[in-house]
Amino acid sequence: MANLIVSMLLVVVAVICAARAIAAERILSSAIFLAAVSALTAVLLYMQGAYQVAAIELSVGAGLVTVLLVYAISVTGDEIQEAGSIVPRTLAGILAGVMVLGLVGLSLPLLVKGGVIVAAPLSGALWGQRVLDVWIQMVLIFAGVLGMLGLLTEGKPEMLQSRSRVVRAPSAGTLTGSAAAREEVRR
Amino acid sequence: MTLTPFNLMLMAVLGLLGVGFYGLLVTRNLIKVIVALQILVKGGMLALVLGGQAGGQATLGQSLAVTVIVADTMVAVVGLALAIQIRRRFGTLDLSALSTLRG
């Protein structure tokens, strides 16, 4: 019974935090509420017996993603969201409600039948049966890191172009490569 | 219908999916779009774990959930980097303003 009450509290607080993350005016508040949702989801996963998934969600979802969000907000500025939305809020609410009702219809057999919570070891399945998933995750991580490095680089296109072409200096001969770039910076 | 922890988790899945979908539809700020996407994916990840347990293949659902966490994190990383570049280039993160830009 106590387990049920704790689960109910966690579910209610997680959904409220998610709603607050969407409704908050400041982006930083949204990021903090998202971190709370991640942490609560990790606790729910732990209670489901998915211990490894809970640990990964807590470290990656509540930790890494929050740090990245705060960094992005510190760079772009904590803007206050203006009123109004691309899709009217009423229509969006109706669409979201229809989607939830459809999902309730799909999961009704499970709701009636109920399910059994099983604590299963993940490592055997992950390294024994789903090795391809692990390799794909490694490739994804490297691709993400490389993509982030490439996108965050503060390169100036005109500077990069000037390094590769030959320019003629006003007083003496021709300058190439880094000499041309230095000349441009000096100007 | 009896109220069990499993049913409560299903309700959490429905709530997170609904809130995330609504957020994706109404949000105009690029970073908040990523926040809404994260909420949506958390609902999907919980659904994978629950589906695995309901189908008798708990480890399969959990391994897929781990894959979803990694892929979602990479989406967030690249999305945030894009948001930073867009802010530097256009000076705004408002999607409605960005959609009217030319060049």
Side-chain angles (χ1 to χ4, degrees):
Chain A
M1 188 63 189
N3 195 14
L4 195 65
I5 293 170
V6 171
S7 296
M8 193 183 298
L9 273 177
L10 287 172
V11 168
V12 170
V13 174
V15 174
I16 288 174
C17 283
R20 287 296 306 155
I22 297 298
E25 287 188 347
R26 296 183 61 190
I27 311 172
L28 191 60
S29 306
S30 291
I32 302 301
F33 278 118
L34 179 69
V37 173
S38 288
L40 291 167
T41 308
V43 176
L44 286 173
L45 284 168
Y46 189 86
M47 292 175 76
Q48 286 290 305
Y51 306 125
Q52 289 94 343
V53 184
I56 293 170
E57 168 64 22
L58 192 61
S59 57
V60 175
L64 178 64
V65 173
T66 307
V67 169
L68 286 171
L69 273 170
V70 172
Y71 169 71
I73 292 165
S74 71
V75 171
T76 61
D78 191 6
E79 291 180 357
I80 292 176
Q81 193 181 16
E82 294 172 15
S85 59
I86 297 173
V87 178
R89 287 178 186 274
T90 316
L91 179 63
I94 291 171
L95 286 175
V98 168
M99 189 200 76
V100 169
L101 282 178
L103 288 173
V104 167
L106 283 175
S107 57
L108 205 55
L110 277 178
L111 278 170
V112 172
K113 191 179 77 175
V116 183
I117 294 174
V118 185
L122 179 64
S123 56
L126 207 55
W127 293 105
Q129 302 161 7
R130 314 289 303 176
V131 181
L132 187 61
D133 281 1
V134 177
W135 283 105
I136 289 173
Q137 287 168 29
M138 289 178 191
V139 172
L140 269 176
I141 290 169
F142 280 113
V145 170
L146 289 176
M148 189 174 72
L149 285 176
L151 285 167
L152 290 179
T153 306
E154 294 187 48
K156 293 181 180 173
E158 58 272 18
M159 284 288 290
L160 294 174
Q161 283 171 7
S162 69
R163 281 180 191 169
S164 61
R165 73 166 182 252
V166 178
V167 295
R168 185 170 293 280
S171 58
T174 57
L175 295 174
T176 57
S178 59
R182 278 201 302 274
E183 181 68 21
E184 201 156 305
V185 169
R186 192 179 61 79
R187 281 183 207 160
Chain B
M1 185 182 77
T2 55
L3 198 62
T4 62
F6 187 88
N7 289 352
L8 278 173
M9 300 298 159
L10 266 180
M11 288 171 195
V13 168
L14 295 174
L16 289 177
L17 286 176
V19 171
F21 186 64
Y22 175 80
L24 270 184
L25 289 178
V26 299
T27 305
R28 283 169 53 186
N29 188 293
L30 206 50
I31 294 180
K32 284 191 82 174
V33 168
I34 296 171
V35 170
L37 199 63
Q38 291 277 318
I39 292 171
L40 195 67
V41 170
K42 281 182 204 324
M45 183 190 59
L46 263 180
L48 276 175
V49 173
L50 281 180
Q53 291 192 341
Q57 291 182 308
T59 52
L60 175 64
Q62 291 181 20
S63 63
L64 287 175
V66 172
T67 307
V68 167
I69 290 173
V70 173
D72 178 48
T73 307
M74 291 309 118
V75 168
V77 166
V78 176
L80 288 172
L82 277 172
I84 290 171
Q85 293 298 322
I86 285 172
R87 169 75 181 186
R88 280 183 184 149
R89 191 176 174 86
F90 299 114
T92 182
L93 287 173
D94 195 336
L95 286 176
S96 58
L98 288 173
S99 62
T100 57
L101 289 174
R102 296 285 181 270

